[in-house]
Amino acid sequence: MVYKPSLGEKVFNVFNICIMAIMIFICLYPFWYCIMCSLSRHADTASLMLWPKGFTLATYKDVLSRQDIQTGYLVTIFIVVVGTIFNLIMTTIAAFLLTRRNFAIRNFLTYMMLFTMYFGGDMIPTYIVYTQILGMEGNILVLIIPGAISVYNCIVMRTNFDAIPTSLEESVKVDGGNDMHVLWHIIIPLSKAVISVMVLFYGVGHWNAWFPASLYLNKTDIKPLQLRLREILILSQTGAEGDAGDVATMAENIKFATIIVATLPILLVYPFIQKYFVKGVMIGAVKG
Amino acid sequence: MNEQSITLKKKPNLGRRIGDELKHNFVLYLMAIPVIVYFVLFVYLPMYGLIIAFKDYKPFNRMGQGGIWGSPWADMYGFANFIRFFKSPLFWPVLKNTLYISFLTLIFSFPAPIIFALMLNEIKNLKYKKVIQTITYLPHFISMVVICSMVIRFFQTDGIMTALVDVLGGSKQNYMINADAYRPIYIGSGIWQGIGWSSIIYISALSSIDQELYEAAVIDGAGKWKQVVHITIPGILSTIVILLIMNVGQMLSVGYEKTILLQNSNTAEVARVISSYTYDLTFGTEGGGGEFAYSSAIGIFQSVVNIIFLTIANTISKKITNSGLF
């Protein structure tokens, strides 16, 4: 039996396709607009709609020659690389421990982690403990160590590790290998998909983070890109804190170039990695 | 005596078992050390820091006084910081702003991804569907700082959104310093950023609905609309309920990052929510800052009310739909 759509349904389908086209436009156009403004030679970008008003790349030269943007880039790249590696090591170890059935403290570790999904020290007590007890004020490690293990990510990873047949690791044990060998030679090579999802989750998280840096590193010069961006683009605008300085008079097209400079890496890698993101979330959604 | 001998018989056994366990799983214990140290120092120790909410907190000084433990307990059996907040002239305005934003989120931002997922589900061309998904997820990965700087640029007097509002009959002005415009901008940009990504969970719930149900409905002569009402929506209802309960359990936790980035002195009156207020009290220039104990108490108040909301929502949901979070 062939299903015959009614007239109303046909109308709806056309309407639906159009609405979705509008959604695509709404999600892409702001970024397009920013890119065009940044390429515009005229500082006044007010009447720009689709194409730049006079083409130039000088805005990018301006932005990239700024000392604060340069150091911001270096700090961010350092944190993304070192931070993500640290995240991966810690999360992999934790997830692996949670899969060891003969491990006496496995349940203890599980509850220790799950508890922190529901309770935690708030922003202020955490700040006090980190600065007064752990001496993290002005220390770049504050952007790397806290948040090293996201319990949610750890559970996603454990679910993946659990799916690996135990017969494989028994062969390692027969050859006299210990759990470290099992992790290194069996589990990790078979979990490339989930590990790449983790690299992306943690990596993007580090790239976008600004808040911890604004709490702990504000008095230092090691400010990541996003924090610099806030100073240049937002504080200068709202005049919330008086340290805006010369940036208040920065031309609009240069401000847009700054936005793009900080976003382009994400925009460029996004098309290649988005399928992994969705995969990662699906794994977690099914489990949770 | 008798009892003791029985326990004595077991004890060496236990000691031996611990020894065996340590020997057998030595590598695992070695691996567990960094994990445990991390959780104790960086996750559990801050929870210990919560007690400053009940203290008259003074930072550690050279005489060895003050600090988290050394500070004296607050007055009124330790609850002075809480009482101070309840009596503060800003208590009601801040609470009202927070609940206002939360209600708007529940009414507008919560259903948006559900409707989006339902509509996406009706797109039959798989390639087109994939393209829509890929592109609508994109804003989720852009940093909050960038999103907010874009919003600020777009709603300036000569910004592109202001131009759009102008065409639609509004006036040309800087909407970022207009207190009336703050909430629509906050909610609208939130929907824009999250609609695609939040729809993933509904899309995965939709894909798990048994397709035979639809075939049976077609044979019974049910049109598309009836299929949606009787099959699709019941199929994702439990997902919706769980997410709704979780949302209600976050009623008082309006995110501080976006508020801090978007607010300014003109909009602070409506923008100030509990979380951003605790930030301003501690790190802001307004009011001198440094109110560590006071803002910790406000943070605890926020968590407690959230838990109450969560429990109420869960109880109601269990009564009505027979499903709940716990």
Side-chain angles (χ1 to χ4, degrees):
Chain A
M1 179 176 144
V2 181
Y3 177 66
K4 264 200 189 155
S6 68
L7 178 68
E9 276 168 44
K10 280 183 192 157
V11 172
F12 171 78
N13 280 337
V14 173
F15 168 78
N16 199 16
I17 288 170
C18 295
I19 291 278
M20 289 300 156
I22 294 172
M23 284 293 298
I24 291 179
F25 175 78
I26 292 174
C27 287
L28 279 186
Y29 181 69
F31 300 107
W32 176 262
Y33 177 81
C34 288
I35 294 173
M36 289 309 125
C37 284
S38 71
L39 294 173
S40 186
R41 202 167 57 229
H42 296 273
D44 172 28
T45 54
S47 58
L48 186 149
M49 292 290 284
L50 262 186
W51 303 108
K53 286 157 77 181
F55 180 82
T56 182
L57 281 173
T59 48
Y60 285 95
K61 228 181 103 199
D62 270 21
V63 171
L64 292 174
S65 63
R66 283 179 67 112
Q67 186 70 43
D68 54 353
I69 297 276
Q70 284 172 5
T71 47
Y73 240 106
L74 288 179
V75 171
T76 295
I77 288 170
F78 175 78
I79 289 162
V80 167
V81 173
V82 178
T84 307
I85 291 172
F86 187 63
N87 285 136
L88 276 186
I89 295 172
M90 293 294 281
T91 311
T92 307
I93 291 176
F96 179 68
L97 291 174
L98 297 186
T99 63
R100 301 292 90 190
R101 307 227 175 278
N102 299 324
F103 190 30
I105 61 168
R106 186 176 79 119
N107 281 337
F108 163 75
L109 288 176
T110 310
Y111 289 119
M112 179 185 79
M113 289 190 203
L114 287 181
F115 182 76
T116 64
M117 285 185 99
Y118 302 97
F119 295 97
D122 272 339
M123 174 186 14
I124 311 298
T126 304
Y127 175 83
I128 299 272
V129 168
Y130 280 13
T131 53
Q132 301 257 318
I133 299 181
L134 300 173
M136 296 303 254
E137 179 109 61
N139 190 337
I140 195 165
L141 287 178
V142 81
L143 303 185
I144 291 169
I145 300 177
I149 302 174
S150 139
V151 177
Y152 178 84
N153 288 348
C154 187
I155 290 170
V156 170
M157 231 175 173
R158 186 200 65 182
T159 315
N160 270 267
F161 290 176
D162 259 339
I164 296 169
T166 46
S167 55
L168 289 173
E169 57 187 73
E170 270 153 26
S171 65
V172 173
K173 293 249 167 114
V174 167
D175 290 345
N178 60 30
D179 286 297
M180 195 66 204
H181 295 109
V182 172
L183 177 60
W184 191 249
H185 294 293
I186 305 289
I187 306 284
I188 291 180
L190 288 174
S191 305
K192 285 192 185 118
V194 73
I195 289 173
S196 43
V197 171
M198 292 302 142
V199 170
L200 304 171
F201 272 144
Y202 283 126
V204 170
H206 283 301
W207 182 273
N208 285 342
W210 66 279
F211 193 72
S214 83
L215 288 189
Y216 301 100
L217 300 175
N218 219 3
K219 295 184 189 111
T220 68
D221 282 331
I222 35 174
K223 292 182 183 173
L225 192 57
Q226 301 291 338
L227 192 58
R228 289 291 183 199
L229 218 60
R230 181 190 177 222
E231 286 172 2
I232 295 171
L233 296 169
I234 295 182
L235 294 185
S236 67
Q237 200 76 18
T238 55
E241 285 159 45
D243 58 350
D246 62 316
V247 291
T249 55
M250 198 185 209
E252 273 306 281
N253 53 356
I254 298 183
K255 286 184 182 172
F256 278 110
T258 316
I259 289 180
I260 294 304
V261 159
T263 315
L264 206 60
I266 300 252
L267 291 180
L268 287 182
V269 295
Y270 176 74
F272 304 101
I273 62 180
Q274 56 85 19
K275 61 176 180 200
Y276 293 112
F277 274 123
V278 179
K279 205 186 279 172
V281 173
M282 291 292 194
I283 300 164
V286 170
K287 192 71 187 165
Chain B
M1 189 66 200
N2 206 358
E3 266 181 27
Q4 209 176 5
S5 66
I6 289 168
T7 49
L8 275 177
K9 259 183 197 167
K10 278 184 182 169
K11 277 219 166 144
N13 215 346
L14 181 72
R16 187 116 153 250
R17 263 179 22 223
I18 292 174
D20 280 354
E21 164 74 19
L22 278 175
K23 213 165 119 192
H24 186 247
N25 283 331
F26 180 70
V27 181
L28 291 181
Y29 283 99
L30 220 55
M31 290 162 94
I33 291 172
V35 175
I36 293 173
V37 167
Y38 163 75
F39 271 99
V40 169
L41 282 185
F42 290 92
V43 186
Y44 281 90
L45 203 56
M47 292 188 207
Y48 155 74
L50 281 170
I51 64 167
I52 70 163
F54 303 95
K55 293 215 162 194
D56 188 9
Y57 177 76
K58 299 272 186 309
F60 214 65
N61 65 19
R62 286 208 197 104
M63 320 271 288
Q65 294 156 329
I68 296 174
W69 191 245
S71 295
W73 294 99
D75 293 339
M76 307 188 213
Y77 306 103
F79 283 91
N81 292 316
F82 293 86
I83 308 287
R84 185 180 151 201
F85 181 48
F86 298 144
K87 285 186 175 164
S88 155
L90 276 173
F91 175 71
W92 286 113
V94 168
L95 193 63
K96 204 195 82 192
N97 283 344
T98 311
L99 288 173
Y100 202 158
I101 292 268
S102 286
F103 272 118
L104 291 177
T105 307
L106 277 185
I107 294 167
F108 295 106
S109 316
F110 182 74
I114 303 175
I115 295 166
F116 177 67
L118 288 175
M119 290 176 76
L120 193 69
N121 200 38
E122 297 304 323
I123 297 285
K124 295 297 171 240
N125 184 334
L126 290 182
K127 255 198 175 152
Y128 186 43
K129 198 169 168 177
K130 187 93 200 115
V131 170
I132 298 167
Q133 283 179 281
T134 305
I135 290 172
T136 51
Y137 298 162
L138 173 63
H140 172 81
F141 298 105
I142 306 302
S143 83
M144 200 50 102
V145 175
V146 166
I147 296 285
C148 290
S149 354
M150 282 165 70
V151 167
I152 291 171
R153 303 256 98 62
F154 291 174
F155 283 96
Q156 279 171 355
T157 315
D158 55 4
I160 182 131
M161 284 305 287
T162 308
L164 183 69
V165 174
D166 188 34
V167 169
L168 295 175
S171 63
K172 239 179 156 64
Q173 52 170 295
N174 183 355
Y175 282 102
M176 291 317 296
I177 56 167
N178 181 341
D180 291 333
Y182 177 81
R183 287 188 187 112
I185 291 174
Y186 183 97
I187 298 290
S189 59
I191 293 177
W192 174 74
Q193 197 186 1
I195 188 167
W197 190 252
S198 319
S199 71
I200 291 183
I201 193 156
Y202 299 110
I203 291 169
S204 89
L206 284 169
S207 67
S208 63
I209 295 177
D210 191 354
Q211 291 304 310
E212 282 179 21
L213 290 174
Y214 291 106
E215 286 160 25
V218 168
I219 291 169
D220 288 345
K224 200 88 232 179
W225 180 247
K226 282 209 162 147
Q227 292 174 33
V228 169
V229 172
H230 294 290
I231 302 172
T232 312
I233 292 182
I236 60 169
L237 194 64
S238 60
T239 309
I240 296 177
V241 168
I242 287 174
L243 288 176
L244 185 64
I245 296 172
M246 284 163 75
N247 262 271
V248 172
Q250 295 285 315
M251 283 287 275
L252 253 50
S253 307
V254 173
Y256 49 83
E257 282 199 28
K258 197 172 172 186
T259 309
I260 292 168
L261 291 171
L262 278 188
Q263 73 176 1
N264 53 50
S265 52
N266 299 80
T267 53
E269 201 93 321
V270 293
R272 195 184 281 128
V273 292
I274 293 179
S275 59
S276 73
Y277 182 53
T278 62
Y279 173 86
D280 287 340
L281 278 172
T282 318
F283 304 106
T285 43
E286 273 177 84
E291 293 276 12
F292 294 104
Y294 183 39
S295 46
S296 298
I298 299 175
I300 289 182
F301 166 76
Q302 170 183 304
S303 309
V304 169
V305 177
N306 274 339
I307 291 172
I308 295 172
F309 278 164
L310 184 72
T311 317
I312 294 173
N314 196 54
T315 314
I316 294 174
S317 149
K318 265 187 180 163
K319 281 237 166 77
I320 297 174
T321 66
N322 272 327
S323 65
L325 203 57
F326 49 85

